[in-house]
Amino acid sequence: MQKVRPKKHLGQHFLRDLDAAQQIVNLQSLHRGYNKVLEIGPGMGVLTQYLLQNTDYQTFVVEIDRESVAYLKEHFPILEDRIFSQDFLQMNLTELFGNEPFGIIGNLPYNISSQIFFKVLEYKDLVMEIVCMLQKEVAQRIASPPGKKDYGILSVFLQAYYDIEYSFTVYPDAFIPPPKVDSGVIRLKRNNVEKLDCNEKKFVQVVKAGFNQRRKTLRNALKPIGLNFEHELLSKRAEQLGVAEFVLLTNLFEEKT
């Protein structure tokens, strides 16, 4: 069978650098003892081949591209019924492994990487670790500490429940076809926060409102959602607050509005 043709509408850029592929797979720490790994968008299996060499966990893959699914079935018959030919964004991850915790790995399509992470947050009590490659700018944003220009909504939401580290950069010539930007590899490990010490729906509302007008102080940015109290945090901009400060602000909001 011939190689799979990369499809622009699926955001496919197939990794061809085997050293980078091995490095990505090796970043998995099996945090909290999970023994099932779901690879998102395996394409022609450059990560899959190394995942299958490790007997400490079972590898499953989800792939929306039928041509890639056919390629995987032919080249990796050992996967058998562990190939999900569907859209990850439409999957019910609770049913996937009978409510067992698992890890996620993948070379994520640039065009839906943020959506993938919002999906992961819905299942944060099951997803113990994520090792992935995505557009460098987005990877840096997710791993960015407060006070940096690239710190944003996704940074806060993910850092609330995961410890995140930027691992390494992969350059365009490592892919077919080469993307126009660099890629970054990050690892997210589930932290010990089961639930935030605040109303989590209100937390989401406050964070989104703060960053929707990120150049303004929070005093002004939060007016559209009913701010009517004073506090020293309100003189800062959203990008200057860490998770704990957003939790404090959310509780003040609940108490005073």
Side-chain angles (χ1 to χ4, degrees), residues 62-220:
V62 54
E63 175 58 71
I64 196 172
D65 178 26
R66 291 179 183 175
E67 189 184 357
S68 292
V69 169
Y71 183 96
L72 292 165
K73 284 181 175 178
E74 180 171 329
H75 287 80
F76 301 98
I78 193 172
L79 277 173
E80 297 178 354
D81 58 351
R82 289 180 278 146
I83 301 174
F84 302 109
S85 180
Q86 56 187 294
D87 181 354
F88 172 77
L89 296 176
Q90 303 302 319
M91 294 179 83
N92 183 332
L93 301 184
T94 306
E95 295 175 354
L96 197 58
F97 303 126
N99 232 14
E100 283 185 51
F102 61 97
I104 285 177
I105 193 168
N107 171 19
L108 305 185
Y110 288 171
N111 54 343
I112 61 164
S113 57
S114 292
Q115 291 168 260
I116 287 171
F117 280 111
F118 281 114
K119 173 87 172 180
V120 165
L121 282 168
E122 293 175 31
Y123 297 92
K124 59 185 179 292
D125 294 331
L126 292 176
V127 181
M128 295 295 107
E129 184 171 48
I130 307 112
V131 174
C132 64
M133 179 162 56
L134 59 164
Q135 187 174 345
K136 183 180 179 181
E137 180 185 339
V138 180
Q140 288 177 322
R141 185 182 308 145
I142 288 169
S144 174
K148 299 283 187 178
K149 196 169 77 170
D150 46 11
Y151 181 74
I153 292 174
L154 200 52
S155 319
V156 179
F157 290 163
L158 286 168
Q159 290 174 27
Y161 303 103
Y162 289 90
D163 296 326
I164 304 171
E165 59 189 68
Y166 185 96
S167 297
F168 62 95
T169 300
V170 182
Y171 298 100
D173 61 1
F175 299 87
I176 301 173
K180 293 178 180 176
V181 294
D182 294 341
S183 300
V185 177
I186 54 174
R187 179 171 64 185
L188 300 85
K189 296 165 77 170
R190 189 70 171 87
N191 63 24
N192 294 322
V193 176
E194 290 185 20
K195 187 182 181 306
L196 296 178
D197 292 328
C198 66
N199 180 322
E200 292 185 338
K201 285 187 177 178
K202 182 66 76 174
F203 174 82
V204 169
Q205 186 185 17
V206 168
V207 173
K208 283 184 173 179
F211 281 102
N212 280 344
Q213 301 186 69
R214 62 182 299 148
R215 291 186 179 182
K216 294 186 176 182
T217 64
L218 288 163
R219 182 177 291 104
N220 293 317

